[in-house]
């Protein structure tokens, strides 16, 4: 992580603190509308808070010293391990994320963080339990897109995500993994080798969660807004009707992004989601040109 001024590091601390507060994102955004900068909120005293709110629970959360100490420890550990912390006020913050709903205040980045503001980022996502067809089509399109200098974005989950990253690595291209855990917590464990290969090949691992945060089920669908948010286009290669991939597609549409889908066997439940998306207006993809030039 490059050197930062003491003032800049303090600002980073305030954003970390705000991001880990036990409040909803909507509540945090409301507080920012009032205080403008997290520093003001961080340094506020009980007397001033009581003039603004009658909620004892909110006052207790905002004045909690334990949370402030936790934020300091996260900052200290990140510096020690050379993990880049990018806050929403930093120039390195991905421009694609600035205007999305529930934008993360902080991103923890391990690896080549400059990829975040590069052009031609394409998310490739799909089912964890993929078929051989899903595996082959994912590897093929990830490889071919990487050869065209596209950066492949995915979630490093089992199945389609794994093959999306692998296709980029085989092509000696660049790939970004957006985790539903802290960047130091490799999940699933079986992808430890993949995780290391992404870093070794100048790729990037990012998360909005503190470094050692263990994943919980609700983190995964929520992190999908970042996968679609940092990407220019979203390609779904194989997915069920009810899946995280469909959630990502919905985030993408809300963000004004084009959604692409590869058609699958109409008798396979593993392709029901992609076929449904095509029926609903997603771009049908059978060749590289379909996604590069549409």
């Amino acid at each position: 992580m490059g050197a930062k001024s003491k003032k800049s590091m303090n600002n980073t601390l305030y954003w970390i603190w705000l991001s880990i507060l036990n409040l909803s994102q909507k509540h945090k955004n409301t507080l920012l509308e009032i205080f403008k900068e997290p520093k003001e909120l961080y340094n506020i005293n009980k007397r001033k808070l009581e003039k603004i709110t009658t909620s004892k629970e909110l006052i207790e959360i905002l004045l909690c010293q334990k949370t402030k100490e936790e934020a300091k420890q996260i900052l200290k550990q990140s510096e020690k391990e050379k993990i880049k912390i990018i806050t929403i006020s930093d120039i390195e913050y991905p421009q694609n994320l600035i205007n999305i709903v529930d934008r993360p205040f902080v991103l923890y980045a391990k690896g080549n963080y400059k990829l975040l503001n590069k052009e031609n980022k394409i998310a490739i996502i799909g089912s964890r339990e993929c078929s051989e067809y899903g595996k082959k089509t994912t590897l093929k399109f990830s490889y071919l897109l990487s050869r065209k200098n596209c950066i492949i974005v995915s979630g490093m989950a089992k199945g389609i995500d794994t093959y999306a990253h692998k296709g980029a690595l085989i092509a000696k291209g660049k790939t970004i993994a957006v985790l539903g855990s802290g960047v130091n917590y490799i999940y699933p464990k079986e992808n430890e080798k993949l995780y290391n290969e992404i870093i070794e090949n100048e790729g990037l691992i990012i998360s909005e969660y503190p470094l050692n945060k263990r994943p919980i089920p609700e983190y995964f669908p929520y992190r999908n807004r970042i996968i679609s948010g940092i990407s220019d286009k979203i390609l779904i290669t194989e997915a069920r009707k009810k899946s995280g991939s469909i959630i990502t597609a919905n985030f993408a549409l809300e963000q004004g992004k084009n959604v692409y889908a590869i058609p699958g066997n109409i008798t396979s439940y593993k392709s029901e989601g992609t076929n449904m998306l095509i029926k609903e207006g997603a771009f049908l993809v059978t060749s590289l040109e379909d996604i590069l030039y549409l």
Side-chain angles (χ1 to χ4, degrees), residues 3 47 114 136 173 244 277:
R47 194 174 179 183
K114 292 182 179 179
K136 286 180 178 178
L277 287 170

Side-chain angles (χ1 to χ4, degrees), residues 215-283:
I216 56 176
E218 52 262 42
Y219 286 173
F220 294 103
Y222 194 55
R223 67 87 193 265
N224 291 351
R225 79 197 192 287
I226 299 176
I227 291 177
S228 58
I230 65 173
S231 303
D232 301 301
K233 298 177 179 181
I234 291 81
L235 172 63
I236 302 172
T237 57
E238 186 177 59
R240 300 180 185 188
K241 260 187 179 179
K242 293 183 179 180
S243 65
S245 301
I246 305 303
I247 292 170
T248 310
N250 290 331
F251 278 130
L253 292 172
E254 288 172 9
Q255 294 162 0
K257 308 287 177 68
N258 283 347
V259 174
Y260 302 77
I262 293 176
N265 187 333
I266 62 170
T267 65
S268 171
Y269 68 93
K270 292 181 180 178
S271 291
E272 284 179 348
T274 44
N275 292 340
M276 177 188 71
L277 287 170
I278 292 166
K279 284 167 67 177
E280 292 178 351
F283 290 97

